[in-house]
Amino acid sequence: MHSAAQPAPATTADTLLAVRDLNAWYGESHVLHGMAFDIRAGEVVTLLGRNGAGKTTTLKSIMGVIDKRRGSIRFQGSELVGLASRHIARKGIAWCPEERGIFASLDVRENLMLPPVVAPGGFTLEQIFELFPNLKERLHSQGTKLSGGEQQMLAIGRILRTGARLLLLDEPTEGLAPVIVQQICQMIRRLKSMGFTIILVEQNFHAAATVADRHYIVEQGRVVDEIANEELEASMGKLHRYLGV
Amino acid sequence: MAEIFGIPAAALFGQLLLGFINGAFYATLSLGLAVIFGLLNIINFTHGAQYMMGAFVGWMLLTYLGIGYWPALILAPLIVGAIGMIIERTMISRLYKLDHLYGLLLTFGLALIIEGLFRNGYGVSGLAYAIPPQLSGGVNLGFMFLPLYRGWVVVASLVVCLATWFIIEKTRLGAYLRAATENPTLVQAFGINVPLLVTLTYGFGVALAGFAGVLAAPIYAVNPMMGSNLIIVVFAVVVIGGMGSILGAIVTGFSLGLIEGLTKVFYPEAAATVIFIIMAIVLLVKPAGLFGREA
Ligand SMILES: Nc1ncnc2c1ncn2[C@@H]1O[C@H](COP(=O)(O)OP(=O)(O)OP(=O)(O)O)[C@@H](O)[C@H]1O
Ligand SMILES: [Mg+2]
């Protein structure tokens, strides 16, 4: 285990993703300033931070959907910076964007079936319905006619089909009712028990605390602290200062 | 002879058939434009020239290689579509990050160049292309005489339009296309080759124009300017139907052809302008077009 606050941790053998000195820009505006963190296979790790800290941009940089990024993102030892997003997806990384990205011109079934399978071992439709029974009833509805919670389930469900083993989930509980938040947290624990590796962006660190192994604190485009989940209780004062809540 | 509203029935049905034929071309061409606009966000001003190329490739296949109408109906769209894909890869694709105006200027310029080249090579008097023997002649339907080839044009266009609709709305490839039209970044982040999808879509839209060109060859003279005359009306059809709607393009194309035909019967003076009058009214009342999604 790392001690706390290591912006550039040493890479170990079971490291799945290693981000080093990551910089990213929207046009001229420089948003990530030397992000660095690690994730080991099978971990659930959160990125916590205030609005505008650069959490979403970090996920976009990993996924390759940002115009300009520099530095290094190594996935299973191979470099992602410089690859087009479709090649990154094919390596087994899947992204559930903050705005969910449900397609209005596709029905629920088409939305579910859209992402191509990139590796064996993905969920079958039956397994997805078992996890999210609501989706089964709404298969022929227009994707955007679903409730917010159902859209979130659809957005997560469709990337489980692909066989990707690293999931990037951007605020999956944002704006949802407490009972649905619970359902999603339960689902994340289940995915973890199945061996998925997950980077979770969350504002709701109470929810995050029920699922994560470690938390990275993001401020102004870099990681400023790392807190193990066991230390979360003891670090509440610090956390409140970081998040301004 | 029977009359309807004081018009001889045969004349009325004759004009309706003409309207249907024009409508078939409007539908096929505006469908191609709508497919291209949906994904590429480019108004393909080369469309008329590509329609003309379809007719010319059909004529060339016959004249230089002895390849007849039926193979040409498949080959010419493939050839014109392939040329379209080369144009997309080498030129249009460089403009996606710029203002739409650049795509419009490029495709407009390309249309002028292509038409100029054909005019240099073949003049403007028009070349004859014979109706295939299987479709020459006609049948007497009792209320009118139906030239077989004209009936075939309507049926073939309708089948191609509906097949296109089916592919886009009901297949997996069509789902990729619809999704990429909405959010290409996300579709690409799922691992789908969106640039290839864009190239294929442009090629497909252009092939539709080429197909319409071959269909037109035996009816209208094969002429370098045949596309630029037609395409003005087709753009009006697209504006009326609404950019980017597949079914809208088909329905609007056929309906406006019919309306034009009826106008020729009842008020011939307005026949050439009726579509533009409808366009003006639609623009005032529903600027996104009859089937367009409001922005
Ligand atoms: N498309 C964009 N163009 C320009 N600047 C952007 C864009 N998206 C985000 N930014 C800026 O980049 C910075 C980081 O944004 P980012 O979305 O990564 O933050 P975040 O940590 O995800 O915040 P939130 O909690 O609000 O989702 C912010 O200052 C934001 O204003
Ligand atoms: Mg965000």
Side-chain angles (χ1 to χ4, degrees), chain A:
Chain A
M1 266 271 151
H2 303 299
S3 55
Q6 292 300 314
T11 308
T12 59
D14 57 348
T15 298
L16 186 68
L17 186 87
V19 175
R20 293 290 178 279
D21 192 29
L22 178 63
N23 287 264
W25 291 260
Y26 294 103
E28 294 295 296
S29 128
H30 189 172
V31 170
L32 297 188
H33 304 265
M35 283 291 289
F37 62 92
D38 267 351
I39 299 160
R40 290 186 284 279
E43 272 191 309
V44 175
V45 167
T46 70
L47 302 179
L48 302 174
R50 298 184 196 218
N51 289 336
K55 308 178 295 292
T56 296
T57 308
T58 303
L59 297 193
K60 284 186 177 173
S61 301
I62 296 170
M63 210 61 233
V65 295
I66 196 155
D67 294 340
K68 190 174 161 201
R69 66 204 153 125
R70 291 280 156 73
S72 163
I73 303 171
R74 291 192 155 265
F75 177 66
Q76 294 176 321
S78 75
E79 183 58 56
L80 302 185
V81 171
L83 285 189
S85 63
R86 65 175 192 273
H87 299 303
I88 294 173
R90 296 276 170 186
K91 287 187 178 291
I93 305 180
W95 174 45
C96 177
E98 190 169 6
E99 62 285 353
R100 297 181 187 134
I102 301 303
F103 295 97
S105 56
L106 275 60
D107 67 18
V108 169
R109 192 191 174 79
E110 288 174 323
N111 266 289
L112 266 181
M113 301 303 290
L114 186 78
V117 171
V118 298
F123 278 45
T124 61
L125 277 189
E126 278 316 309
Q127 286 173 302
I128 294 173
F129 296 148
E130 191 201 319
L131 210 53
F132 304 122
N134 301 33
L135 294 183
K136 191 169 186 174
E137 340 249 280
R138 309 290 312 265
L139 266 190
H140 300 289
S141 310
Q142 185 186 343
T144 44
K145 288 272 158 66
L146 301 187
S147 71
E150 288 169 334
Q151 287 193 31
Q152 189 64 62
M153 293 171 191
L154 179 55
I156 297 173
R158 70 180 171 193
I159 61 175
L160 298 179
R161 250 192 77 253
T162 64
R165 302 298 288 171
L166 173 60
L167 309 181
L168 315 179
L169 308 182
D170 200 339
E171 303 207 30
T173 67
E174 189 181 14
L176 299 181
V179 35
I180 307 209
V181 172
Q182 271 180 17
Q183 198 183 342
I184 286 176
C185 290
Q186 211 172 355
M187 181 248 357
I188 293 174
R189 281 192 295 274
R190 172 114 178 256
L191 293 177
K192 177 177 161 59
S193 74
M194 298 172 73
F196 282 91
T197 309
I198 298 174
I199 305 183
L200 181 66
V201 169
E202 263 304 336
Q203 298 270 358
N204 180 344
F205 67 83
H206 297 292
T210 68
V211 299
D213 298 305
R214 292 183 294 128
H215 309 273
Y216 285 111
I217 311 293
V218 181
E219 242 174 36
Q220 293 175 349
R222 59 174 71 83
V223 169
V224 295
D225 205 347
E226 177 192 340
I227 303 174
N229 203 42
E230 313 75 83
E231 299 161 12
L232 202 61
E233 281 298 320
S235 316
M236 271 307 158
K238 196 162 73 168
L239 202 56
H240 281 285
R241 234 177 310 115
Y242 283 134
L243 302 180
V245 287

Side-chain angles (χ1 to χ4, degrees), chain B residues 81-126:
Chain B
I83 296 171
M85 289 196 272
I86 293 170
I87 290 176
E88 193 278 336
R89 268 299 82 199
T90 56
M91 293 180 244
I92 300 176
S93 62
R94 297 167 189 271
L95 304 179
Y96 294 139
K97 293 214 161 96
L98 304 176
D99 192 274
H100 296 178
L101 205 56
Y102 289 90
L104 192 151
L105 287 173
L106 173 69
T107 55
F108 187 62
L110 282 173
L112 295 180
I113 292 171
I114 294 170
E115 284 172 355
L117 286 176
F118 276 90
R119 216 164 39 193
N120 261 347
Y122 298 93
V124 289
S125 52

Side-chain angles (χ1 to χ4, degrees), chain B residues 105-218:
Chain B
L105 287 173
L106 173 69
T107 55
F108 187 62
L110 282 173
L112 295 180
I113 292 171
I114 294 170
E115 284 172 355
L117 286 176
F118 276 90
R119 216 164 39 193
N120 261 347
Y122 298 93
V124 289
S125 52
L127 307 161
Y129 189 97
I131 291 177
Q134 297 89 339
L135 294 176
S136 58
V139 287
N140 196 336
L141 299 178
F143 55 90
M144 66 174 288
F145 180 78
L146 174 70
L148 272 185
Y149 189 79
R150 307 206 160 210
W152 156 251
V153 167
V154 173
V155 172
S157 306
L158 203 55
V159 167
V160 164
C161 284
L162 291 178
T164 303
W165 171 83
F166 182 85
I167 291 169
I168 292 176
E169 296 297 332
K170 299 292 169 197
T171 69
R172 191 175 173 83
L173 185 65
Y176 285 163
L177 196 147
R178 278 175 283 141
T181 298
E182 272 187 58
N183 188 344
T185 306
L186 183 55
V187 171
Q188 171 111 330
F190 285 147
I192 294 166
N193 190 339
V194 173
L196 179 65
L197 192 64
V198 167
T199 305
L200 291 175
T201 301
Y202 187 76
F204 180 76
V206 169
L208 280 177
F211 177 79
V214 185
L215 278 186

Side-chain angles (χ1 to χ4, degrees), chain B residues 69-79 211 214:
Chain B
Y69 176 84
W70 299 106
L73 207 50
I74 310 284
L75 285 176
L78 287 179
I79 293 168
F211 177 79
V214 185

